[in-house]
Amino acid sequence: MIEDHGENTAPSAPADPAGETASFGFREVRASEKAVLVRGVFDSVATRYDVMNDAMSGGVHRLWKSAMIDWLRPRPGMRVLDVAGGTGDIAFRILDKANRDVPEGKAAATVTVCDINEAMLSVGRDRAVNAGRLDNLDWIVGNAEALPYADCSSDAYTIAFGIRNVTDIPAALREARRVLKPGGRFLCLEFSNVDIPLLKQGYDFYSFSVVPQMGRLIAGDAESYRYLVESIRKFPDRETFAGMIEAAGFSRVSARAMSGGIVALHSAWRI
Ligand SMILES: C[S@@+](CC[C@H](N)C(=O)[O-])C[C@H]1O[C@@H](n2cnc3c(N)ncnc32)[C@H](O)[C@@H]1O
């Protein structure tokens, strides 16, 4: 079952008296409108999301996700919150690794997948049911900016390819720290900045010319994939993002670039 914590689902666009704006891809929109637009993107692509991930990345997103799980080192007994968890890829990997060999008398690891989009969670929950994954896994609708979780309730917080879609990233980072126990781990996998000139040229061509066409052919939606590509370019570089994590109160912040900087993993601790 997917729990819906009403107050945390994507709002309809209210008036934005402060006049604040946010980037939605290359467009500036009212800050209050962004969550609605992002919701539209993932409503549109949810059923083809996993197929598109494999097609766009040639399957490499699996390696990036595995690297994230390796760095996390999930273990039996851990309580992990996977925010913007979508169709469950990260959660499944965490559970597979953590609960491979649970010692007698020790509790299994548990993962809660929290996402603002019911359509994405619904695809994930169906995947879980079809694979017989009924234990140690919850699916909850919630906004990364206002998590429906108690303070100090998780051993680890993961977010993969989600944070750049959030309107108020500093608020989401503060929420991540709030829900972590002291000694808890923050791990974020996100697209990043490519600094190798030749790779950048090819990557730009691929992103702006090929990906939207693939989106049209496979998911029947070029515009949503244009947004996803544009949002990558608007996301802060590794150093800036590391500074934002520190500003949210985290300690021992570090970053690893992968695939020439196409993606980065940021790690931090709540001390
Ligand atoms: C690109 S998908 C990533 C899904 C999954 N983590 C993965 O790696 O395959 C981004 C997800 O972020 C979710 N999302 C966007 N804004 C959010 C917010 N404010 N709070 C929680 N989830 C959000 C979307 O609904 C979508 O499922």
Side-chain angles (χ1 to χ4, degrees):
M1 192 190 73
I2 298 172
E3 285 179 46
D4 186 346
H5 296 253
E7 72 282 12
N8 290 306
T9 55
S12 58
D16 199 354
E20 282 177 36
T21 62
S23 63
F24 176 72
F26 289 162
R27 275 166 59 203
E28 280 299 304
V29 297
R30 284 183 301 142
S32 53
E33 202 183 348
K34 176 165 171 169
V36 179
L37 293 168
V38 169
R39 175 182 239 174
V41 166
F42 290 102
D43 277 346
S44 165
V45 304
T47 54
R48 305 299 287 163
Y49 176 79
D50 294 307
V51 177
M52 262 305 279
N53 268 353
D54 276 329
M56 276 186 310
S57 71
V60 176
H61 75 105
R62 294 165 185 263
L63 303 179
W64 298 330
K65 287 171 177 169
S66 293
M68 181 186 204
I69 307 307
D70 286 346
W71 210 7
L72 177 65
R73 292 200 310 114
R75 298 169 292 287
M78 270 177 110
R79 288 184 65 179
V80 183
L81 179 58
D82 181 43
V83 175
T87 59
D89 259 10
I90 298 298
F92 299 152
R93 283 176 162 76
I94 290 171
L95 291 175
D96 285 346
K97 186 137 192 170
N99 295 338
R100 197 179 295 158
D101 199 6
V102 182
E104 186 89 19
K106 181 98 184 159
T110 61
V111 181
T112 299
V113 182
C114 173
D115 197 287
I116 205 164
N117 189 295
E118 286 173 55
M120 292 289 281
L121 287 175
S122 169
V123 171
R125 196 235 3 239
D126 288 350
R127 285 175 80 193
V129 170
N130 291 338
R133 295 172 173 277
L134 302 176
D135 297 331
N136 310 313
L137 188 56
D138 290 316
W139 304 87
I140 292 192
V141 181
N143 188 340
E145 296 166 23
L147 292 169
Y149 293 97
D151 297 358
C152 306
S153 54
S154 300
D155 297 298
Y157 172 110
T158 52
I159 182 163
F161 304 119
I163 196 101
R164 75 179 192 284
N165 298 296
V166 171
T167 307
D168 188 346
I169 294 175
L173 294 172
R174 287 193 299 273
E175 277 293 88
R177 186 178 178 282
R178 179 185 67 76
V179 299
L180 279 171
K181 297 176 186 169
R185 181 80 180 276
F186 168 88
L187 266 181
C188 175
L189 175 64
E190 188 51 270
F191 288 102
S192 189
N193 49 308
V194 174
D195 0 71
I196 304 165
L198 255 182
L199 176 61
K200 187 167 163 27
Q201 268 179 25
Y203 180 57
D204 280 348
F205 173 77
Y206 181 74
S207 304
F208 290 106
S209 303
V210 179
V211 168
Q213 290 315 316
M214 285 173 98
R216 187 174 58 79
L217 290 172
I218 299 173
D221 181 351
E223 273 317 298
S224 289
Y225 281 92
R226 207 180 309 283
Y227 155 74
L228 290 171
V229 167
E230 290 178 1
S231 64
I232 292 169
R233 300 310 190 278
K234 296 296 285 184
F235 191 68
D237 62 32
R238 284 184 289 286
E239 293 71 28
T240 308
F241 186 50
M244 292 168 75
I245 298 170
E246 251 164 23
F250 281 103
S251 305
R252 293 172 55 198
V253 180
S254 56
R256 287 182 187 173
M258 293 190 283
S259 303
I262 291 175
V263 300
L265 262 172
H266 282 78
S267 162
W269 297 83
R270 175 177 180 167
I271 303 289

